[in-house]
Amino acid sequence: MDVLREFFTAQDIIDFFNEQNMPFEFYQHAPAYSIDDLEALAIPHKEDIVKNLFLRDDKKRNYYLVTLPGHKKIDLKMLSEKIPSRRLSFASEELLYEKLLLKKGNVTPLGVLNNKEKNVIVVFDKNLQGKTIGVHPMDNSKTVFLRFEALIELIKNNGNPIILCDI
């Protein structure tokens, strides 16, 4: 991808997947701000769509983009012990935009492509390994389904740290 680009859009992501001959499925739909919103939409494979949380530690020194299966519950205290981190909480909308150039409702692991400092740690649930998952390509009115390992490779090539753990 063009590292000189100011930020990446949904179309940039789709174009890149096509240029790389990366297999994916694309769906346009009404904006979905949560997993519950997605349930009402007429798109296939809804059970494979993940949820994404943008978190920070209590000192605002470390930032985490956490991706897990859509209906899985998360215990932030337990997660902080597993990754390990200081106490975790949700980052503000301002920090989400500052770090990833994303707005609330558009959180996606692809957002780290906009993280110029490479200082957002991406945390994935180990249960996603070997699966095809659905993520927003920077825009919550679109969903792409791709192999988890292809997403990991893309993030790794971008330079952001990755943690795989049992969430």
Side-chain angles (χ1 to χ4, degrees), residues 56-63 86-87:
R56 63 166 177 82
D57 69 17
D58 60 353
K59 297 284 187 182
K60 295 184 182 178
R61 291 186 188 143
N62 295 297
Y63 298 89
R86 298 180 56 86
R87 190 173 59 80

Side-chain angles (χ1 to χ4, degrees), residues 92-142:
S92 67
E93 288 182 56
E94 292 79 19
L95 282 169
L96 173 62
Y97 192 80
E98 177 186 316
K99 298 288 182 187
L100 303 175
L101 300 176
L102 294 173
K103 294 184 179 180
K104 183 179 175 182
N106 292 309
V107 181
T108 172
L110 293 167
V112 297
L113 299 176
N114 290 331
N115 180 227
K116 302 286 187 230
E117 296 82 22
K118 314 293 186 238
N119 61 351
V120 173
I121 300 164
V122 186
V123 179
F124 286 105
D125 188 308
K126 285 195 314 191
N127 292 324
L128 298 174
Q129 291 178 297
K131 297 185 177 171
T132 296
I133 63 171
V135 299
H136 294 309
M138 314 295 198
D139 179 339
N140 69 358
S141 67
K142 300 166 179 58

